Amino acid sequence: MNNYQIQVMQAKKRFLTYDQQELITRCGLRYDAEFLYLTMLSEPYRIRRSTGDMERFHGGVWVDGNSFNEVMTILDWLCDSRADRYITGRWINVVTHGHYFHGNLQDDVNNPYARLFDQNSEGFVAACESLKGEKLPGADLGYAIELIDGLRVFVQLWHGDDEFPPSLRCLWDENTNRYLRYETTWFATGLLLERIKENMNRAR
């Protein structure tokens, strides 16, 4: 078992220690005797109440939803989001939530997703729109895409040219830390960018 699998297992065990009725009330979840239901990146998810295992409703069927980024994002939001959370509509760099020595993680030079999205900007636009993203100014191409519970991520793409490579930045709402822990924003960003890539491939 690798470290990612261990962290997923630990997150599910932690979830099982919570009062699920409190989670249902605080997070506004639909539920039945077997599952808790929510929406992430415009797709339904369900969590088995007895184990924490997850499924995603995709292509008309329930499929596995237990990837590292999915589990860590959903369970962090579910277990730790604050009852007084709300969206400000003001965008910030995620590094604001953490420590400045993490700034190198925001380095967008030679970002493989930036190159991929720049090479197929029409596919990037189609993928963002398939995720119900709202086009916003501030970059060559930019979309605010809802992650979960009204919390959006502003994905900004700048095209490359002869002098500079393409670049990519993800901005978050000023109140993100009322929804997710700082570390979890990295998992959620990875999930979002991979989902954009997945939808670009599907559109071909």
Side-chain angles (χ1 to χ4, degrees), residues 9-23 26 48-52 75 78-80:
M9 181 181 66
Q10 291 174 339
K12 291 180 180 180
K13 285 183 177 180
R14 178 170 173 259
F15 159 74
L16 295 176
T17 68
Y18 278 72
D19 177 347
Q20 293 190 10
Q21 188 56 52
E22 190 277 330
L23 299 180
R26 175 164 47 82
R48 190 172 296 275
R49 300 180 66 167
S50 60
T51 64
L75 291 187
L78 187 61
C79 295
D80 292 333

Side-chain angles (χ1 to χ4, degrees), residues 91-110:
W91 301 107
I92 62 169
N93 189 310
V94 73
V95 174
T96 304
H97 291 295
H99 304 288
Y100 286 102
F101 60 78
H102 285 138
N104 65 313
L105 297 176
Q106 284 290 99
D107 186 0
D108 56 13
V109 176
N110 296 319

Side-chain angles (χ1 to χ4, degrees), residues 136-149:
L136 296 177
D140 290 333
L141 290 172
Y143 284 85
I145 299 171
E146 182 176 359
L147 175 70
I148 194 169
D149 190 26

Side-chain angles (χ1 to χ4, degrees), residues 70-97:
E70 287 171 308
V71 171
M72 301 304 288
T73 300
I74 288 175
L75 291 187
D76 181 22
W77 166 76
L78 187 61
C79 295
D80 292 333
S81 61
R82 291 168 46 170
D84 65 348
R85 64 195 182 277
Y86 66 95
I87 298 299
T88 69
R90 293 186 291 271
W91 301 107
I92 62 169
N93 189 310
V94 73
V95 174
T96 304
H97 291 295

Side-chain angles (χ1 to χ4, degrees), residues 16-192:
L16 295 176
T17 68
Y18 278 72
D19 177 347
Q20 293 190 10
Q21 188 56 52
E22 190 277 330
L23 299 180
I24 289 167
T25 300
R26 175 164 47 82
C27 296
L29 303 177
R30 293 187 303 108
Y31 65 96
D32 56 32
E34 191 171 3
F35 294 102
L36 304 179
Y37 299 89
L38 62 127
T39 300
M40 183 169 68
L41 291 175
S42 300
E43 290 191 310
Y45 278 78
R46 65 184 185 184
I47 307 170
R48 190 172 296 275
R49 300 180 66 167
S50 60
T51 64
D53 291 334
M54 298 185 187
E55 293 178 306
R56 164 191 171 198
F57 194 71
H58 179 70
V61 296
W62 288 104
V63 299
D64 182 76
N66 290 288
S67 74
F68 176 80
N69 287 337
E70 287 171 308
V71 171
M72 301 304 288
T73 300
I74 288 175
L75 291 187
D76 181 22
W77 166 76
L78 187 61
C79 295
D80 292 333
S81 61
R82 291 168 46 170
D84 65 348
R85 64 195 182 277
Y86 66 95
I87 298 299
T88 69
R90 293 186 291 271
W91 301 107
I92 62 169
N93 189 310
V94 73
V95 174
T96 304
H97 291 295
H99 304 288
Y100 286 102
F101 60 78
H102 285 138
N104 65 313
L105 297 176
Q106 284 290 99
D107 186 0
D108 56 13
V109 176
N110 296 319
N111 184 311
Y113 285 108
R115 294 196 304 272
L116 175 68
F117 299 161
D118 183 51
Q119 289 167 1
N120 183 5
S121 57
E122 289 185 3
F124 172 75
V125 168
C128 291
E129 292 180 349
S130 74
L131 292 168
K132 302 180 181 178
E134 177 189 3
K135 189 173 183 180
L136 296 177
D140 290 333
L141 290 172
Y143 284 85
I145 299 171
E146 182 176 359
L147 175 70
I148 194 169
D149 190 26
L151 179 64
R152 300 195 299 173
V153 184
F154 186 8
V155 182
Q156 298 180 313
L157 175 67
W158 284 268
H159 297 305
D161 57 28
D162 291 339
E163 295 185 35
F164 300 101
S167 62
L168 188 69
R169 177 179 296 168
C170 293
L171 301 180
W172 292 75
D173 189 83
E174 188 177 47
N175 269 354
T176 293
N177 59 358
R178 294 176 182 243
Y179 292 78
L180 299 173
R181 289 178 293 177
Y182 167 70
E183 293 80 3
T184 307
T185 61
W186 299 101
F187 309 145
T189 297
L191 176 63
L192 171 58

